[in-house]
Amino acid sequence: MKKLIFLIFNIIMLSIGNCGGPLISRLYFIHGGQRIWIPSVLQTVGCPIILIPLAIAYFQRRKIQGPEAKIVFITRQEFIASAGVGIIVGLDGYLNSWGPAKLPVSTSTLINATQLAFTALFAVLIVKQKLTAYSTNSVVLLIAGAATLALRANGDRPAGESAKDYMLGFVMTFIGAVLYGLMLPLIELIYMKAKQAVTYTTVLEIQMVLGISATVFCTIGMIINKDFQAIPREASQYAIGESKYYMVLVWCAIIWQFALLGLVGVIFYSSSLLSGIIAAFLLPVTEVLAVILFHEKFQAEKGVAIFLALWGFVSYFYGEYEQGKKEKKMKKSESQISQQLDMGQTAVQVV
């Protein structure tokens, strides 16, 4: 039950981040933001927030264990692996920032939906994830649901945008979807290969390393692209005001941190496949929020996408429920067989 509570808590954090992150990144571009590296670095720069729960956990351990309490649990192997995956996280953030900057929402949503297929593929190859009929059905439904959102796009590009920029945005977002699908099983692999018991404190430490590594990668990109010098100029020309420009940046960093914290938590308490399924399920939800917040048109395709997403989501969890029932029956059956064998051996000894 405790594991389920923590899983639900991380799903909520992942939902807040995955829905709010793209929306506030889009808000940055809608009102005059033009730099790709800025929203990229904001996806991970909020990682120091993790120091708060880590500090609380440490002082609680110190009360119980005294001065001998360990400050950190992450091993050198886990640190190096996390730093490597963090570079992928940073690159993925950069590639995905091209979506709200260059593509119609329906098109970028369609491309991002393909990450679920790549997550399923890499989960099978890297962590030997077994696909049940229910999880396969869920993958198909969620991809189909997101695909319907692109039916009205008709290949149109935003007004004033060159064909070259549009195609560049398309390719970058697709590569980002592939990397996202690869990233989730790699994080799960870090947990599997750990040479010690992985606690949630370890998960937070791994997330900290992921965030720092990704932030360093994106910061180097900002320095090369001279984005730091451009921030004051962008702020002064921002359509809704300079103070709101900085407010958008701060909230962007906070909300995206919810996404990353929830992501590693869901992988830890369940699997990389479930985290991918939740991300795909949230795509049409993001569309509805865009309709409400940005007054976009709500076409019939978006209603169909939401229905298919809900169907796929229910299909996955029903499959998990059925799988849990089967495992309980198998354990009960094995226990009964073991008891019968023990009774038989006892009877033989008595004779």
Side-chain angles (χ1 to χ4, degrees):
M1 180 59 71
K2 186 178 179 181
K3 180 181 177 181
L4 178 60
I5 292 172
F6 277 108
L7 176 60
I8 293 172
F9 175 71
N10 281 279
I11 288 174
I12 291 171
M13 284 203 298
L14 179 60
S15 300
I16 292 171
N18 265 31
C19 290
L23 290 171
I24 200 162
S25 294
R26 188 176 171 202
L27 185 66
Y28 164 78
F29 288 110
I30 283 176
H31 295 294
Q34 298 178 348
R35 321 297 290 195
I36 301 295
W37 281 109
I38 290 177
S40 305
V41 76
L42 291 174
Q43 293 182 31
T44 54
V45 75
C47 62
I49 295 174
I50 302 172
L51 288 173
I52 298 174
L54 284 176
I56 293 171
Y58 169 70
F59 286 117
Q60 286 180 340
R61 291 197 305 273
R62 191 175 174 84
K63 281 183 180 180
I64 299 171
Q65 302 173 10
E68 296 180 358
K70 292 180 68 175
I71 298 176
V72 294
F73 287 90
I74 190 171
T75 64
R76 181 184 297 179
Q77 178 184 337
E78 292 161 2
F79 179 88
I80 294 171
S82 299
V85 176
I87 295 173
I88 298 176
V89 173
L91 179 58
D92 180 66
Y94 170 74
L95 294 170
N96 280 322
S97 292
W98 285 85
K102 302 295 182 181
L103 300 176
V105 175
S106 55
T107 303
S108 61
T109 302
L110 168 62
I111 300 169
N112 284 327
T114 61
Q115 61 83 15
L116 181 57
F118 292 114
T119 300
L121 173 63
F122 288 124
V124 171
L125 295 176
I126 296 174
V127 297
K128 311 304 178 185
Q129 174 80 45
K130 292 182 180 180
L131 291 178
T132 65
Y134 291 105
S135 58
T136 303
N137 181 56
S138 179
V139 169
V140 172
L141 286 169
L142 287 163
I143 292 176
T148 61
L149 296 174
L151 292 178
R152 286 185 180 270
N154 296 322
D156 293 335
R157 60 179 184 267
E161 185 176 303
S162 68
K164 180 182 177 181
D165 284 345
Y166 180 88
M167 185 55 62
L168 184 61
F170 190 98
V171 173
M172 291 290 200
T173 307
F174 179 77
I175 297 174
V178 177
L179 280 182
Y180 190 87
L182 172 64
M183 179 180 71
L184 303 187
L186 285 178
I187 294 174
E188 186 174 359
L189 185 64
I190 293 174
Y191 300 155
M192 293 174 63
K193 294 294 183 179
K195 294 181 179 179
Q196 60 179 349
V198 179
T199 64
Y200 193 64
T201 299
T202 312
V203 170
L204 291 177
E205 291 173 356
I206 289 172
Q207 172 57 29
M208 188 74 180
V209 177
L210 288 170
I212 292 172
S213 179
T215 301
V216 169
F217 175 83
C218 292
T219 301
I220 293 172
M222 287 184 67
I223 293 171
I224 294 172
N225 202 44
K226 297 182 179 180
D227 283 348
F228 286 105
Q229 295 91 319
I231 289 176
R233 183 174 66 253
E234 254 193 5
S236 63
Q237 299 172 355
Y238 205 56
I240 57 177
E242 185 172 350
S243 60
K244 289 184 178 178
Y245 173 84
Y246 290 110
M247 192 179 294
V248 167
L249 298 189
V250 170
W251 277 106
C252 191
I254 293 172
I255 291 174
W256 274 116
Q257 199 56 44
F258 274 97
L260 291 174
L261 277 170
L263 177 69
V264 295
V266 170
I267 294 173
F268 175 66
Y269 287 110
S270 183
S271 67
S272 57
L273 181 60
L274 176 59
S275 62
I277 284 174
I278 292 171
F281 165 74
L282 293 171
L283 291 174
V285 177
T286 305
E287 288 292 323
V288 172
L289 291 174
V291 170
I292 297 170
L293 298 175
F294 300 132
H295 308 292
E296 294 185 352
K297 293 181 179 179
F298 188 88
Q299 294 114 348
E301 287 81 359
K302 293 179 181 179
V304 173
I306 292 171
F307 172 74
L308 290 173
L310 287 170
W311 186 4
F313 201 59
V314 171
S315 174
Y316 176 84
F317 279 103
Y318 181 75
E320 289 294 296
Y321 171 73
E322 289 294 321
Q323 186 68 23
K325 284 174 61 178
K326 287 182 181 178
E327 289 177 358
K328 284 183 180 178
K329 286 182 179 179
M330 287 179 65
K331 287 180 181 178
K332 187 176 180 180
S333 177
E334 288 174 358
S335 177
Q336 289 175 346
I337 293 172
S338 178
Q339 289 177 0
Q340 289 174 359
L341 288 173
D342 289 341
M343 290 174 63
Q345 289 176 357
T346 302
V348 169
Q349 289 175 0
V350 170
V351 172

